[in-house]
Amino acid sequence: MMIPACRLADLPRGEAFRLDIDPPVSVFHTDDGEVFAIDDTCTHQDASLADGWLEGCEVECPLHASKFDLRTGAVDSPPAKLPVRTHEVLIEDGMIHVRVSTDAPNLPPCVAARLAGGPA
Amino acid sequence: MRTVAVVGASLAGLSAARSLRKQGYDGRLVLIGDETHRPYDRPPLSKEFLAGGLGEADLALETDGEDLGAQWLLGARATGLDATARAVRLADGREIRADGFVIATGAAARRLPGSDGLTGVHVLRTLDDARALRDELARGGRLVVIGGGFVGAEVASTAYALGLDVTVVEAAPTPLAAPLGREMGGIVSALHLDHGVRLLCGVGVKGLSGERKVEAVLLEDGRSIPADLVVVGVGARPCVEWLEGSGITLDDGVKCGADGRTSLSGVVAVGDCANWYDPRAGRHRRVEHWTGAQERPAAAVATLLAGGAVEPGVPRPPYFWSDQYGVKIQFAGHAAGADSVTVEEGAPDDRNVLAVYRRAGQPVAVLGMNQPRLFTRWRKQLAAAS
């Protein structure tokens, strides 16, 4: 599924845009001008990576210290142990689109429990 | 270097072992831990684990399939370091010889004198402590927390959510005044009162009463607070007794340079037991923060592998977090020495605050309550400014 996120011109370098789907996805515009999309929720605990510390191609969770590689989704620091999903990004006519991965997301225990217990 | 021994198998020790491998060390690696558990994460011990929301498997710091190619000696307490023979002595009589040593023995919870042998009295530092406390909290009743610092406040918050009747006793006039300053310490500790948790400040604890089981906490002003359960959260002391006589310089922990080097060659120290030189402050500081235990080993390991010939980078300002009564509390920098604190966003009454501490107009610290996005921005700014 291809979802329009935001206009590239509205997303300055070093900033992130959160796409409020379930689970949310975030689009990052790096200082080098690249655009990446990954799952927004840290796999350790409920926190929005769009609020995190972006440096190069890595984002650090705003709460704790887990760092995720925007290119691969890999986590390189505890406390998180699982990667986040990466999503394909397409920019057309200045609009950023995200093709959401069909893989199962790695959600933190509290969020996974909430989704499982919530309405279907 | 053919053998490196990491003494201490918690976050700092594991981070050191990971850094060694990441930085290309392919020799023998021995990890020595006095607990019997593989490395586990401590922050949830006062929160989700204590509340029953997370199990022991969730606390593991190692990832599935992670293999550091290390020899693990768990349940093995270090009792001495022989700098001449280059060996760590263990309580069971074994000696581990190595060329390089990483000291990561952490800190131990301070206990209340005279509380030994009284059931119902707990400290919270290790997984075993948390298991014991969790089982007792599940029975409910009246809990008195001695100490209004972060561990005490988190335990109070967790116990409140479990339905216990909770009282917090703090000797200082304002809890958290040392890390946060008086004004913000007052705002954060007001979270207890919002939830009907009693907070008694400015009064010391004289002792505990009870025969075999604790019955009350006796205060210095003569009051007696009935208790079914007591948690003592009065800080921690660095675990460095085992290094006495080794020739290593000890001063509130292992005294280290800005790169983790100690007074002995081929020995570095990291984590809660290490008193690192802070170039920003121009003095040594022992920082008991998770992030320090996680970030600093990379620098210490570089020092060890280079034989002490690396230029240490300036570390990021210290950062810690706490979760209390559903509020996310974050702090970076040093509050001491600030001459002003300004609330830049939110309102203290809503327990929603972004406050900046400044000295002579320059930001030196930042506090967030439920403000993760703004907090990250200020934290970056703080790192760039110094």
Side-chain angles (χ1 to χ4, degrees), chain A residues 57-113:
Chain A
C57 270
E58 245 185 3
V59 63
E60 179 180 324
C61 171
L63 294 187
H64 306 145
S66 297
K67 290 178 186 165
F68 297 90
D69 189 319
L70 300 178
R71 295 162 297 195
T72 61
V75 61
D76 85 334
S77 289
K81 283 176 278 184
L82 297 172
V84 288
R85 294 183 306 178
T86 56
H87 309 284
E88 192 187 333
V89 170
L90 236 104
I91 303 172
E92 245 178 36
D93 300 331
M95 190 73 188
I96 303 172
H97 298 263
V98 174
R99 190 193 302 278
V100 178
S101 161
T102 52
D103 298 345
N106 290 319
L107 295 170
C110 52
V111 175

Side-chain angles (χ1 to χ4, degrees), chain A residues 14-16 18 44-46 50-55 60-65 67 76-81 109, chain B residues 11 18 22 41 48 54 57-58 60-63 290-291 294 316 319 321 328 330 372-373 376-377 379-380 383:
Chain A
E15 295 285 326
R18 180 168 48 211
H44 164 246
Q45 211 177 66
D46 194 1
D51 293 345
W53 184 323
L54 181 63
E55 202 167 296
E60 179 180 324
C61 171
L63 294 187
H64 306 145
K67 290 178 186 165
D76 85 334
S77 289
K81 283 176 278 184
Chain B
L11 176 65
R18 282 176 168 162
K22 219 182 216 172
D41 206 24
E48 304 91 334
L54 283 186
D58 300 312
L61 282 171
E62 295 164 278
T63 53
W290 191 98
T291 36
Q294 142 77 13
R316 299 201 289 182
Y319 164 61
W321 71 85
K328 292 190 189 313
Q330 298 176 279
R373 172 180 281 249
T376 302
R377 292 190 176 180
R379 192 180 162 208
K380 273 181 109 159

